[in-house]
Amino acid sequence: MNFVDELRWRGMLHQMMPGTEELLAREQVTAYVGIDPTADSLHIGHLCSVMMLRHFQRAGHKPLALVGGATGMIGDPSGKSAERNLLTEETLRHNVSCIKAQLAHFLDFNSDAPNAAELVNNYDWMKDFSFLDFAREVGKHITVNYMMAKDSVKKRLNGEARDGLSFTEFTYQLLQGYDFLHLFREKNCRLQMGGSDQWGNITTGTELIRRTLGAEAEAFALTCPLITKADGRKFGKTEEGNVWLDRRYTTPYKFYQFWLNVGDDEAERYIKIFTSLSKEEIDALIAEHRTDPGRRILQKRLGEEVTCMVHSREDYEMAVEASGILFGKATKESLLHLDEATLLSVFDGVPQFEVDRSAAIGAKAADLLAETTKCFASKGEMRKLVQGGGVSLNKEKLQAPDRVIEETDLIGGKYIIVQRGKKNYFLLIVR
């Protein structure tokens, strides 16, 4: 597999320095991508860079994932209009360990192959580096003029940031440049990759290597485009915020739903970027999808591939089953298969009522649903709907309004799902 050709057809190649493609064709290359551990989970905005490392390893090269325990303490001004909050060392250590576990879903860290992935943390080589040593060994090689010419700096200084650019952030490109120099020396890392907003920082690294070690020390740069939605907005965010890879913040159900709900044009781009499917398979899927877009073949396959990769096949199957609960022909068994987080995700946004256990267990359905709660305006309204087969408890038709609610009616020991008609749902939480 030719790595650069793979990125080209997938729409994942933005810029690369002259000689990069020739280097990759000539020998096994070590390359790295930097990730700032500003949270204890990656989100889907990180996925393009992570997929670059995945394809890189599949092409026979050696990927390094650099988690910026040191640079994460400072904050990168690239593409941002405000300085980020600084994190404590304890928080960063926690974030780094969580991110490594997530990266293991994408990269092979454990094989004996010469191209096994490695995780490195720049805090390991920066923590004992004094300011005076840094100024003498690194600062003297890069001029302020060179640093000021970078777009990420110019934009912040030209009024795009309310508070300008702190010296702390100004030094970021030197720190990132030194990471490249360190990995070049210690790991024979010849290539740095990242998003297109990182081009300035990456090329500072190649320049630092050249000025420190001489013109024969060749280092290279390659970037992927920043992924956007069809309307040009930033990819990966919803009204609720980031779509995280950690199930604590985004359940597998909501994660799957994100991919399932992208537009047709987006699905055609995203299935190339965020899966490892072959060109032939993707071309066939796109052709089939275009014959009947309503079946959402692309979105379903995209959701399957990414959910299985980030979570598991079991989580994907639960997400599919959960997706049919609101709009499909689900059963009580479908509800019983869901874990609590998924069930709450499915019914997020529907009216909810909290009920004391003493008021629920042993009560008649009509009393519970029309008086204790307000799922129905009156008992009379409810009786009419029950007679017409329009009321369900936990996806089972309610046969009589006076049926007594029992412990066995509680999903997970605390929930009752009430359905009025085809589309109106209520969630009862029994405490």
Side-chain angles (χ1 to χ4, degrees):
M1 175 179 134
N2 181 296
F3 176 65
V4 174
D5 285 346
E6 187 79 6
L7 293 192
R8 278 198 183 102
W9 79 258
R10 289 183 182 276
M12 296 174 69
L13 184 62
H14 183 74
Q15 285 174 288
M16 62 179 172
M17 286 180 62
T20 305
E21 191 166 9
E22 291 77 10
L23 172 74
L24 291 163
R26 192 168 61 241
E27 60 190 82
Q28 185 188 88
V29 176
T30 299
Y32 88 93
V33 164
I35 299 167
D36 275 342
T38 49
D40 63 356
S41 172
L42 302 174
H43 54 74
I44 59 174
H46 293 107
L47 271 185
C48 187
S49 292
V50 173
M51 290 303 294
M52 286 173 73
L53 286 177
R54 182 178 174 89
H55 294 310
F56 193 71
Q57 188 171 40
R58 290 174 65 230
H61 301 293
K62 183 176 179 67
L64 304 178
L66 183 148
V67 183
T71 41
M73 290 182 168
I74 290 178
D76 178 9
S78 302
K80 302 177 181 69
S81 59
E83 186 163 349
R84 72 171 51 148
N85 293 328
L86 306 186
L87 303 176
T88 66
E89 185 177 334
E90 182 183 2
T91 299
L92 284 164
R93 273 201 304 270
H94 167 73
N95 292 355
V96 167
S97 65
C98 293
I99 288 170
K100 181 178 182 181
Q102 290 183 332
L103 289 171
H105 288 263
F106 301 87
L107 303 171
D108 178 8
F109 288 97
N110 299 317
S111 76
D112 297 327
N115 72 327
E118 288 184 44
L119 185 89
V120 293
N121 182 350
N122 59 14
Y123 186 73
D124 293 338
W125 57 84
M126 292 303 302
K127 65 179 184 292
D128 298 321
F129 207 168
S130 75
F131 179 78
L132 291 177
D133 288 339
F134 187 81
R136 188 170 67 176
E137 294 181 29
V138 180
K140 71 176 184 181
H141 291 293
I142 302 292
T143 67
V144 170
N145 303 53
Y146 179 87
M147 296 171 70
M148 295 280 284
K150 298 295 183 181
D151 284 342
S152 61
V153 173
K154 286 196 292 188
K155 286 178 180 178
R156 290 288 292 272
L157 292 177
N158 289 341
E160 292 192 15
R162 187 174 65 247
D163 300 321
L165 179 69
S166 71
F167 174 77
T168 303
E169 284 191 299
F170 183 58
T171 59
Y172 187 94
Q173 61 176 290
L174 286 184
L175 289 168
Q176 185 170 331
Y178 182 73
D179 288 341
F180 201 175
L181 173 60
H182 176 86
L183 293 174
F184 187 94
R185 284 170 168 161
E186 301 297 322
K187 301 281 188 184
N188 192 30
C189 179
R190 307 279 299 281
L191 173 64
Q192 184 182 167
M193 304 186 294
S196 58
D197 60 336
Q198 291 294 308
W199 182 256
N201 291 339
I202 295 173
T203 53
T204 295
T206 63
E207 186 68 10
L208 180 62
I209 290 168
R210 185 185 68 80
R211 294 186 185 187
T212 303
L213 303 178
E216 67 280 1
E218 288 189 295
F220 299 88
L222 184 152
T223 62
C224 61
L226 293 180
I227 312 303
T228 58
K229 297 180 182 179
D231 60 7
R233 289 185 298 150
K234 190 173 182 179
F235 166 78
K237 285 188 178 289
T238 65
E239 290 180 3
E240 292 83 32
N242 287 320
V243 179
W244 298 95
L245 306 195
D246 191 312
R247 65 195 307 130
R248 292 174 300 161
Y249 307 130
T250 301
T251 63
Y253 166 75
K254 282 200 168 180
F255 186 83
Y256 174 70
Q257 285 290 317
F258 173 84
W259 303 102
L260 196 63
N261 290 319
V262 301
D264 292 340
D265 291 341
E266 293 168 328
E268 289 193 15
R269 282 192 301 132
Y270 295 169
I271 201 164
K272 296 173 184 176
I273 296 168
F274 300 114
T275 78
S276 297
L277 296 174
S278 69
K279 186 176 190 304
E280 293 73 22
E281 191 165 5
I282 288 175
D283 286 345
L285 282 167
I286 290 173
E288 185 180 3
H289 177 84
R290 287 178 177 176
T291 62
D292 187 2
R295 291 171 59 201
R296 302 184 76 74
I297 290 168
L298 269 185
Q299 287 90 338
K300 289 176 181 177
R301 186 60 184 276
L302 172 64
E304 176 183 357
E305 292 293 322
V306 185
T307 305
C308 288
M309 181 168 57
V310 170
H311 294 291
S312 68
R313 170 67 56 179
E314 183 181 22
D315 286 321
Y316 158 72
E317 289 170 355
M318 182 183 289
V320 171
E321 188 165 19
S323 298
I325 285 173
L326 289 181
F327 307 109
K329 295 180 179 179
T331 64
K332 184 176 182 179
E333 286 299 310
S334 304
L335 294 175
L336 293 172
H337 287 163
L338 304 184
D339 59 39
E340 184 176 27
T342 304
L343 184 138
L344 292 174
S345 287
V346 171
F347 294 99
D348 183 31
V350 309
Q352 299 183 5
F353 298 96
E354 291 198 11
V355 185
D356 286 339
R357 188 169 292 266
S358 59
I361 305 305
K364 295 178 179 178
D367 294 335
L368 177 64
L369 303 182
E371 291 186 347
T372 306
T373 69
K374 294 299 178 184
C375 298
F376 298 88
S378 66
K379 289 184 181 180
E381 179 199 47
M382 181 184 163
R383 290 180 190 281
K384 287 180 183 177
L385 283 167
V386 169
Q387 289 170 3
V391 179
S392 295
L393 294 185
N394 301 329
K395 286 293 179 177
E396 294 179 337
K397 293 288 185 189
L398 184 62
Q399 302 297 330
D402 293 334
R403 180 167 91 68
V404 174
I405 303 298
E406 301 174 352
E407 282 281 353
T408 54
D409 290 314
L410 303 184
I411 302 293
K414 65 189 293 190
Y415 300 107
I416 300 175
I417 310 301
V418 181
Q419 185 175 359
R420 186 180 70 197
K422 288 185 177 181
K423 296 181 180 179
N424 296 307
Y425 286 90
F426 304 88
L427 176 66
L428 272 56
I429 305 169
V430 180
R431 302 287 188 189

